[in-house]
Amino acid sequence: MNRLAHETSPYLLQHADNPVDWWPWSAEAFDEARRRNVPVLLSVGYSSCHWCHVMAHESFEDQATAAYLNEHFVSVKVDREERPDVDAVYMEAVQAATGQGGWPMTVFLTPDAEPFYFGTYFPPIPRHGMPSFRQVLQGVHQAWADRREEVTEVAGKIVRDLAHREITYGGTRTPGEEELAQALLGLTREYDPQRGGFGAAPKFPPSMVIEFLLRHHARTGSEGALQMAQDTCERMARGGIYDQLGGGFARYSVDRDWVVPHFEKMLYDNALLCRVYAHLWRATGSELARRVALETADFLVRELRTSEGGFASALDADSDDGTGEHVEGAYYVWTPEQLAEVLGPEDAEYAAQYFGVTEEGTFEQGSSVLQLPQQEGVFDAQRIESIRRRLLERRAERPAPGRDDKVVAAWNGLAVAALAETGAYFDRPDLLDAAIGAADLLVRLHMDEHARLARTSKDGGIGANAGVLEDYADVAEGFLALASVTGEGVWLEFAGFLLDHVLAQFADETGALYDTAADAEKLIRRPQDPTDNATPSGWTAAAGALLSYAAQTGSERHRTAAERALGVVKALGPRVPRFTGWGLAVAEALLDGPREVAVVGPAADDPATRALHRTALLGTAPGAVVAVGTPGSDELPLLVDRPLVDGAPTAYVCRNFTCDAPTTDPDRLRRALSG
């Protein structure tokens, strides 16, 4: 009997027809393990994970392996994107035991959910020093049958060790100039000056670090910080990690040069990078940054927007290569012969030179991932645009990668922020409309009457799992961005509801934050991680949203909470800056004020008001908040007691309880927000 058929997770549904007798994560699964006196196999993955698909095909679809599992184990399948708390707790155990982690994650548990044996992908036959999955299953079963006392002792010790792993918390002191300078120095040491990015392969888009570098440059004028941000963004945009035909970024590059991606496309990466490139354009006027920001925004709306108005989680790395086989990257790569088939010989040769397609190939079996040359100006723009259009039309005829249609609250919050700002910067009301549509869905479907968030929804149906800290923080971030762009106070109000819930349910008396609410399901450890991974940590995302909300409302309670949360950045930022990028970016905003900008005008559609508002939004002062409306409006607190000057639309800029003289001049406002 397979119990996954009624789940909402696309990943779990992918396993609904396996011969394995899967259970979803539930108390009933562990009760069954106790009743049968067998261990639990916990398998954690996600729908766009390539090696999760491989292990499923090799082992979970194999009748003999499934029969062994069904006889000797209770098998539990978890979508890490639906249950990040379960994933985090057991990934911490895997990393502590093995020194590494990844997905699929394979953990063996006692019926009390205590882990005792760990791994990630296991092959169907022994390979590269790894035992086969069947060998692992047999070894675990034998240990459970013959050495139960030893197994339970190991499990108990692991749980006790996890319970005593403490977060390095910096207390109530916030990071200052010294910590941010040390963090910048640390990033400089890890920076790859030839290729952009940080560290060696595989290379992940350092979105949150780039936000810190841009804010640091804005506050201090550091040319080194700006150069690292610019060069990294350019190398990524020109590399194979960026989809040169359809826009949008893949999850990471397997090489140091950004040439060959792991082809899955995630909502969170593209939301974060859309915002990064928009902010880079805001700082530098780079035409490349402008194009990539808009193409990435268009990709989000075109390929990830759901019929309900939210944004789907991901596109798979694999797709049908035309022979019935699912192959990684098949949708995206090209050979010279394929170019010629679409373009004819002359344009195919021209396209091959432009996109770096070679006979040898840059990927597998002579195929190439499309890239951009360093010298675009030597190519004819109109001819290239025609080539790109024809290739994109032909690619659309290929079998498309699968889409994970679940709507994750946190990642939709990131998309709302990115699309709202990108729409405002580039006068694209359609992008702003998409942001508002997703925000409406989050309020209508994911929030209950007590402002509690559900983690996911799918096809208009709400998921069973409670929101975690990153959901509250990132959705609040999206609502705050909408408030600044639209001038509608309801978004500020909704953000306040969510942040009050953060303070009530996720914070302790010291100001430290947990990833799950105080009333959430109890696991073997309450997860707590202030470091960035693929997205900003819930901890530092909450600090950023609390700080912005405090600047918009004047709430000392929220500002104090933000400052206390940033103590961890003081402790960790100088040591691991690559993994505290968002916390460092929030610290930059705190050091700068952040600045509060109120724009008042006689009407929302008044051209002079719009000019001041746009100037305010394009200011580079780190973390600046913006309110726009009519004099006397009480919808946004920053507008209270802000009159017009001589009857003209007026901007007020304040920080740290001190205000500049009001101005009616966009140029003067621009200078006030540029350093």
Side-chain angles (χ1 to χ4, degrees):
M1 176 182 176
N2 195 311
R3 298 162 185 82
L4 304 184
H6 301 294
E7 294 294 310
T8 57
S9 160
Y11 176 64
L12 297 189
L13 291 172
Q14 287 169 2
H15 293 80
D17 295 326
N18 289 170
V20 176
D21 184 13
W22 289 113
W23 293 70
W25 179 272
S26 60
E28 291 78 10
F30 291 94
D31 289 342
E32 177 69 4
R34 289 188 195 93
R35 185 187 70 77
R36 290 177 50 199
N37 195 23
V38 296
V40 171
L41 164 71
L42 173 64
S43 176
V44 182
Y46 57 103
S47 71
S48 56
C49 164
H50 172 72
W51 287 103
C52 300
H53 294 313
V54 172
M55 189 168 176
H57 178 66
E58 293 174 341
S59 295
F60 300 141
E61 295 173 11
D62 178 70
Q63 292 287 346
T65 302
Y68 194 90
L69 271 170
N70 295 341
E71 181 178 358
H72 298 296
F73 298 87
V74 167
S75 300
V76 174
K77 177 63 74 172
V78 167
D79 182 342
R80 67 175 293 261
E81 296 173 348
E82 281 201 334
R83 290 301 302 263
D85 52 340
V86 172
D87 177 63
V89 164
Y90 292 103
M91 184 60 74
E92 186 177 17
V94 171
Q95 291 172 330
T98 68
Q100 59 187 7
W103 299 276
M105 177 168 64
T106 307
V107 187
F108 294 90
L109 314 175
T110 71
D112 292 324
E114 296 180 338
F116 62 88
Y117 189 79
F118 316 90
T120 51
Y121 164 79
F122 289 106
I125 58 174
R127 188 186 302 156
H128 306 305
M130 288 189 293
S132 73
F133 188 49
R134 285 290 298 275
Q135 287 175 325
V136 170
L137 294 178
Q138 290 164 355
V140 170
H141 167 62
Q142 205 66 45
W144 184 259
D146 299 341
R147 304 192 305 278
R148 179 77 55 83
E149 186 175 330
E150 178 184 335
V151 168
T152 54
E153 183 179 336
V154 166
K157 182 179 186 304
I158 289 169
V159 171
R160 289 192 298 275
D161 288 347
L162 288 175
H164 289 95
R165 289 166 69 91
E166 295 295 331
I167 295 293
T168 304
Y169 181 47
T172 58
R173 294 181 60 201
T174 59
E177 294 282 1
E178 181 181 353
E179 287 80 18
L180 297 180
Q182 289 174 349
L184 181 64
L185 180 60
L187 290 171
T188 304
R189 289 171 177 154
E190 296 189 67
Y191 182 65
D192 183 341
Q194 279 76 45
R195 306 167 183 86
F198 300 88
K203 274 187 174 172
F204 291 80
S207 309
M208 294 142 279
V209 167
I210 293 172
E211 288 285 0
F212 161 61
L213 294 172
L214 291 174
R215 288 187 179 189
H216 189 75
H217 165 72
R219 188 179 62 83
T220 69
S222 168
E223 289 301 322
L226 180 61
Q227 198 67 49
M228 285 191 285
Q230 281 184 294
D231 289 353
T232 298
C233 284
E234 179 163 353
R235 291 303 297 262
M236 289 193 300
R238 293 185 179 280
I241 193 174
Y242 185 67
D243 182 350
Q244 303 296 342
L245 295 183
F249 289 84
R251 174 77 275 266
Y252 63 86
S253 172
V254 301
D255 59 278
R256 296 182 67 178
D257 292 295
W258 309 103
V259 174
V260 178
H262 187 42
F263 290 89
E264 63 192 22
K265 284 180 172 180
M266 311 302 295
L267 171 60
Y268 52 75
D269 283 320
N270 285 285
L272 289 165
L273 287 164
C274 177
R275 204 177 188 192
V276 160
Y277 280 87
H279 290 173
L280 178 61
W281 171 82
R282 183 176 65 178
T284 66
S286 162
E287 180 55 34
L288 177 68
R290 177 186 183 279
R291 177 175 63 79
V292 171
L294 285 170
E295 288 178 354
T296 304
D298 287 335
F299 158 76
L300 288 172
V301 175
R302 183 183 67 248
E303 298 194 34
L304 293 183
R305 197 177 190 193
T306 69
S307 58
E308 295 77 31
F311 290 91
S313 296
L315 298 179
D316 284 356
D318 304 356
S319 59
D320 191 325
D321 66 354
T323 69
E325 290 294 319
H326 270 64
V327 176
E328 185 179 5
Y331 186 70
Y332 299 100
V333 298
W334 296 84
T335 63
E337 292 75 22
Q338 289 171 326
L339 294 181
E341 181 184 337
V342 178
L343 303 172
E346 290 187 8
D347 275 358
E349 184 177 349
Y350 200 74
Q353 293 174 359
Y354 183 79
F355 287 120
V357 177
T358 65
E359 290 291 341
E360 300 80 17
T362 57
F363 188 51
E364 297 170 354
Q365 299 178 332
S367 62
S368 292
V369 184
L370 303 189
Q371 305 170 71
L372 279 193
Q374 292 298 315
Q375 301 297 327
E376 288 179 82
V378 301
F379 293 88
D380 180 82
Q382 286 187 327
R383 187 177 182 185
I384 290 298
E385 187 53 38
S386 170
I387 286 170
R388 181 181 278 112
R389 176 183 51 77
R390 284 180 283 161
L391 291 178
L392 190 59
E393 288 173 354
R394 175 58 63 89
R395 194 178 78 175
E397 298 173 4
R398 295 176 173 178
R403 189 173 85 163
D404 184 331
D405 280 333
K406 72 174 177 293
V407 172
V408 176
W411 307 347
N412 273 256
L414 297 175
V416 168
L419 292 171
E421 292 183 354
T422 304
Y425 295 171
F426 302 116
D427 194 22
R428 285 281 304 274
D430 59 313
L431 299 180
L432 178 55
D433 287 345
I436 293 171
D440 282 339
L441 179 72
L442 291 169
V443 172
R444 185 176 73 253
L445 192 60
H446 284 247
M447 283 179 69
D448 69 12
E449 64 274 17
H450 303 293
R452 290 181 302 226
L453 278 175
R455 170 74 173 171
T456 62
S457 66
K458 184 177 181 294
D459 299 329
I462 200 66
N465 300 307
V468 296
L469 180 59
E470 72 161 355
D471 294 305
Y472 287 85
D474 290 339
V475 172
E477 177 80 12
F479 290 170
L480 290 165
L482 269 184
S484 287
V485 167
T486 65
E488 295 177 3
V490 66
W491 300 116
L492 182 63
E493 186 177 6
F494 283 138
F497 293 154
L498 296 176
L499 294 173
D500 284 345
H501 198 76
V502 166
L503 297 182
Q505 285 289 324
F506 292 88
D508 69 13
E509 64 280 358
T510 71
L513 295 165
Y514 288 89
D515 292 331
T516 54
D519 59 0
E521 176 188 352
K522 298 297 185 287
L523 303 174
I524 60 170
R525 170 179 169 85
R526 190 178 180 189
Q528 183 184 45
D529 187 357
T531 58
D532 298 332
N533 195 311
T535 58
S537 71
W539 187 320
T540 56
L546 286 163
L547 184 63
S548 294
Y549 182 79
Q552 280 276 14
T553 63
S555 169
E556 276 301 310
R557 182 168 74 100
H558 291 85
R559 184 178 177 94
T560 298
E563 291 174 347
R564 295 175 78 187
L566 285 175
V568 76
V569 180
K570 180 179 177 66
L572 295 179
R575 290 165 38 199
V576 286
R578 281 175 60 191
F579 303 101
T580 49
W582 189 250
L584 292 165
V586 176
E588 288 287 348
L590 182 66
L591 281 183
D592 197 66
R595 293 180 225 195
E596 306 149 6
V597 188
V599 176
V600 290
D605 59 353
D606 172 68
T609 305
R610 289 205 308 268
L612 282 174
H613 183 213
R614 176 176 169 77
T615 300
L617 292 172
L618 292 178
T620 56
V625 299
V626 178
V628 62
T630 55
S633 169
D634 59 0
E635 194 171 0
L636 294 168
L638 285 182
L639 302 180
V640 174
D641 296 328
R642 307 292 193 196
L644 304 180
V645 172
D646 297 329
T650 305
Y652 295 80
V653 179
C654 305
R655 60 172 163 173
N656 299 328
F657 308 105
T658 302
C659 296
D660 297 342
T663 182
T664 60
D665 181 1
D667 287 335
R668 185 175 170 189
L669 177 60
R670 184 177 298 108
R671 290 192 296 272
L673 294 174
S674 62

